[in-house]
Amino acid sequence: MEENGQEPNEELNNESNEPIHNVLPVSGLYENWFLDYASYVILERAVPAINDGLKPVQRRILHAMKEMDDGRYNKVANIIGSTMQYHPHGDMSIGDAMVNLGQKELLIDMQGNWGDVRTGDRAAASRYIEARPSKLALDILYNPQTTDWQLSYDGRKKEPVTLPVKFPLLLAQGVEGIAVGLSTKILPHNFCELIEASIKHLRGKPFKLYPDFQTGGVIDIEEYNKGGRGGKVKVRAKIEEYDKKTLVIKDIPFGTTTTSVIESIIKANDKGKIKIKKVVDNTAKDIEILVELANGVSPDITMDALYAFTDCQVSISPNACVIVDEKPIFTNVDEILRINTDQTVKLLKQELEIKRGELLEKILFSSLEKIFIENRIYRDIEECETWEAVLETIDQGLEPFKEQFYREITQDDIIRLTEIKIKRISKFDKFKADELMKRLQEELAEVEHHLANLVDYAVAYFENLLKKYGEGKERKTEISSIETITATTVAANNAKLYANFKEGFVGYGMKKDEFISDCSDLDDIIVFHKNGTFSVVKIQDKVFVGKDIIHAAVFNKNDERMVYNMAYVDGKSGRSMVKRFSVTSITRDRIYNLTKSDKGSKVHYFTANPNGEAELVTVYLTAGSSARKKVFDFDFADIEIKGRAAGGNTLTKYPVRKVVLKSEGKSTLSGTDIWYDETIGRLNRDERGVLLGNFNADDKIIVFFKDGNCELTSFELSNHYNQNQIYKIEKFDPNGIVTAIHQDGESKISYIKRFAIEATSIDKTYNLINDTKNSKLLFLTSTTNPKVEIGYRKKGERSKSVKEFELSEIIDKKGWKAIGNKFPVQNILSVTEIVVEQSIPDSSSTAELDALKESIKAEVKKEEKTGEGYDVGSSVDLDTKKKGDKDEKDQLGLF
């Protein structure tokens, strides 16, 4: 273009090479027009003014409603039409804004179907629903005398710049808006709490404000940050256990609806994150969503999963942005309340000053009227021939009294006197006039008192608001601490983990390779390699992790009880090392080295032990090694558990041919508390279900089944129990006494037996009652001295008899295979144990007490054998001393 001699901003005609028109630069358009548009959206559409807490469309709706208000309901369609005189946008935006304003249930008195904020149901058409300003709105919103006015967009009407709101309305309603380059989100707060906070502010006391939602629920306000930028709140639904197979949702989080919550639950179920049968919405007056669980699913775990994977828990980030002096500013809810409260005081002061001025004027004119009539000044104007003479005559008649007035008497005041009718003059009552003056003076004195004590007056104003409108506006959202739920711990197992150990691939899509375990698509996978390295990767359909895998499993972060035992040869020194370590936290996809050297190291032996077991292994040296002993045993229990970066202990300096397992080991970790979740039949350490006790390595669990069998199991968390068949599950006490009442299937005779469990084999079933067909267990307990209430039917009688029995008095302890004694009563209908409160030692101290007992027993045996620890040469008899010590320890319950 420059070569043809044209300006750069001119477009050329392709044929004539002549300019068509000037091209405007885009930069100018952006700078001028776009910034104007952004300012308009911020100031006139999306962000509320701090003075009244309203967006322009809301302010115009409320102003139009006041203009139309005659005490009756108006069709919303008519209100929308009236609002369009002030709001230069379509009727749909006005209608939506009005419905949103009405659903907050503060400023609009509604009639008809206005929708439901809880379910997301829309309001009926605007021609069917009606509205009028609420009594609260009439009390706090309107006062033409204190309102700043401006012309409407077409110049034909006047509209308020802001409404003179005498209440923290912005915080009560909350607001959300997205403008150009910024947004605002102020959460709604409780009506009563706002008033109480305003009163505290006026009295100089500290206050705290937290959100409150119409939909209820539970809110965690630890990170609320006063509603300012950077803050966050967690809001969750209230979920309760309806029964063992059903959960009920009674409240939903703010910003959600019952429809969106149900859809999120169905979506999570379809993705396999939770396992449910169906969801039923019974919401009417109150929210009620029933979630029916699949068979064998724990209500507790499902509840956590609902919080983790559905809209039953949401995180909200508030952002308090408001318009102050025609500019958007970022602030917090505490500062907004202070500004609104101070503004309320200012407006109350303006109203009092206006009222004082009106009272002074009333008093002034009443005084003029009284003087005008009592002094018969009206008679002096009868001879006046001109209007000016009339005014001059009245002015001269008032001259002696002018000093008593608070301002100068104007011509307008005199003209008002001439307008008094003869009838009023003839019926003038001095007593009534004095009474009126007295009443006006009292009102003026009251106003002056309020102005002198403005803070007390404002406090009384807020207290009156609370009294008139506070009923029914109590807090709906419960403030509570909400724990963080790790999604991977509550996700249902919806996938299976496979591995190709040689080629180095793992994933849930490799169905032709070796199956490892069930897993979820949220799990991390830990992989160990033969060269002594390991890494943790996110599970995928198929992912390469490195060749020569020796172990792959689901990785549980912060699992301190998972201990890895490893023997390896150091590539640099040639020594074989052993180590025990845990992996609690790592960086995903990073390769970690477990050996002392990066090159040449190789793993001889590796095991993963979920409860810190330490096994015994046999080490075979190479035939050509110079060691005299080429085969020896090593116990991993002899070394401590250290960090994964530790090099380990030396196993041998000679070349190792192989390391093989000789015998399984026991846990070397301290005891752990184990709970049983009877809903899914699983053990856990997460305090779900019934506490079974504190378990050490040798401890076991005993399970009594309804068919009269029993079984000893380990306390591995991987154990699964069929809860429908279990009568009782508890920690196994080898010295405990079990009492059982059972019925023979053939003779129908009921027996009682007391015995100790002599079984020792794990996972082997033992029969405790007769093995004849239809024999059944009626009652079983491990209580030392059980007391029961027996319901039975006497022979020949229809009515039920009840009798209490001390079972330990009926029969002594016998062998666990014995049938037992015939029970004193037959035809047993029911057996109910009478619980006697006993002092139970704390489970956390049980292990310490057992250790103390063993220590003292060992010390006593040592003393009995050697006499060590006693002064033999003293006059104390050694045998007497030992016996006395043992008696004392017996009294302490140590034996």
Side-chain angles (χ1 to χ4, degrees), residues 545-561:
V545 293
K547 294 185 176 183
D548 295 326
I549 299 172
I550 58 174
H551 177 75
V554 174
F555 176 65
N556 297 315
K557 187 177 180 181
N558 296 324
D559 185 1
E560 296 180 352
R561 299 194 71 83

Side-chain angles (χ1 to χ4, degrees), residues 223-502:
E223 301 178 62
Y224 184 46
N225 192 31
K226 299 180 180 179
R229 281 192 298 181
K232 183 177 69 173
V233 294
K234 289 185 286 187
V235 189
R236 64 167 45 172
K238 283 186 179 178
I239 306 178
E240 297 178 1
E241 195 174 308
Y242 190 79
D243 54 40
K244 292 295 183 183
K245 295 184 178 180
T246 311
L247 298 175
V248 57
I249 302 173
K250 292 191 171 181
D251 286 341
I252 57 175
F254 174 71
T256 67
T257 64
T258 53
T259 302
S260 67
V261 168
I262 291 173
E263 287 177 353
S264 69
I265 293 173
I266 295 173
K267 187 176 180 180
N269 181 67
D270 292 342
K271 289 184 176 181
K273 300 294 189 295
I274 58 176
K275 292 183 179 180
I276 62 172
K277 284 185 176 179
K278 61 181 178 179
V279 184
V280 181
D281 187 3
N282 292 334
T283 300
K285 180 182 177 182
D286 299 316
I287 294 174
E288 183 178 279
I289 302 173
L290 297 179
V291 181
E292 187 174 336
L293 309 180
N295 293 332
V297 175
S298 167
D300 292 324
I301 294 179
T302 304
M303 196 180 298
D304 288 343
L306 288 173
Y307 291 138
F309 300 114
T310 74
D311 285 348
C312 289
Q313 178 172 316
V314 298
S315 180
I316 303 173
S317 298
N319 182 22
C321 179
V322 292
I323 302 299
V324 179
D325 296 331
E326 296 297 314
K327 295 179 181 178
I329 67 164
F330 294 94
T331 180
N332 58 59
V333 297
D334 288 9
E335 187 61 26
I336 291 174
L337 181 117
R338 293 187 187 98
I339 293 173
N340 287 163
T341 304
D342 293 342
Q343 176 186 279
T344 299
V345 175
K346 180 182 177 181
L347 289 171
L348 291 173
K349 182 181 179 181
Q350 285 183 342
E351 291 179 355
L352 288 172
E353 289 174 342
I354 292 170
K355 187 175 182 180
R356 180 178 65 178
E358 291 174 347
L359 287 171
L360 286 172
E361 288 298 307
K362 287 181 180 179
I363 292 172
L364 182 143
F365 186 74
S366 296
S367 300
L368 285 176
E369 184 182 58
K370 182 179 180 183
I371 294 170
F372 181 73
I373 296 175
E374 286 184 346
N375 292 277
R376 299 180 181 274
I377 296 175
Y378 62 89
R379 286 185 176 272
D380 296 338
I381 65 175
E382 293 177 357
E383 299 177 358
C384 297
E385 295 181 357
T386 63
W387 177 249
E388 288 76 10
V390 170
L391 298 180
E392 180 66 25
T393 300
I394 295 174
D395 186 53
Q396 289 178 0
L398 295 174
E399 190 66 35
F401 307 98
K402 286 184 177 181
E403 293 183 358
Q404 73 183 51
F405 300 116
Y406 81 98
R407 64 169 175 83
E408 292 183 1
I409 304 302
T410 65
Q411 189 176 11
D412 290 338
D413 297 326
I414 296 174
I415 292 174
R416 285 186 66 189
L417 290 174
T418 64
E419 295 172 352
I420 300 175
K421 296 181 179 180
I422 296 298
K423 185 177 181 181
R424 179 174 176 80
I425 296 174
S426 63
K427 290 187 176 183
F428 180 75
D429 188 331
K430 181 178 181 300
F431 177 77
K432 288 184 178 180
D434 290 341
E435 286 294 318
L436 175 62
M437 290 287 292
K438 181 181 179 181
R439 187 168 66 251
L440 291 174
Q441 291 288 355
E442 289 175 352
E443 289 183 21
L444 179 62
E446 183 181 11
V447 170
E448 294 285 2
H449 174 77
H450 291 332
L451 283 169
N453 301 275
L454 196 56
V455 172
D456 291 339
Y457 177 71
V459 168
Y461 168 81
F462 279 115
E463 289 175 342
N464 184 55
L465 280 183
L466 185 60
K467 183 179 179 180
K468 287 177 67 176
Y469 305 109
E471 186 177 353
K473 291 184 171 62
E474 295 80 12
R475 169 168 283 276
K476 296 180 180 179
T477 306
E478 178 185 337
I479 297 175
S480 179
S481 178
I482 295 176
E483 76 281 4
T484 300
I485 299 173
T486 304
T488 54
T489 62
V490 295
N493 285 337
N494 58 356
K496 296 182 182 297
L497 175 63
Y498 300 90
N500 186 321
F501 286 83
K502 183 178 180 181

Side-chain angles (χ1 to χ4, degrees), residues 62 82-83 123 139 153-154 179-180 249 269 297 345 425 431 439 466 544 547 615 681 749 804 883:
L62 293 169
S82 180
T83 304
D139 274 358
Y153 68 94
D154 61 359
V180 180
I249 302 173
N269 181 67
V297 175
V345 175
I425 296 174
F431 177 77
R439 187 168 66 251
L466 185 60
F544 179 73
K547 294 185 176 183
E615 65 271 28
I749 296 175
E804 294 184 1
K883 184 178 184 302

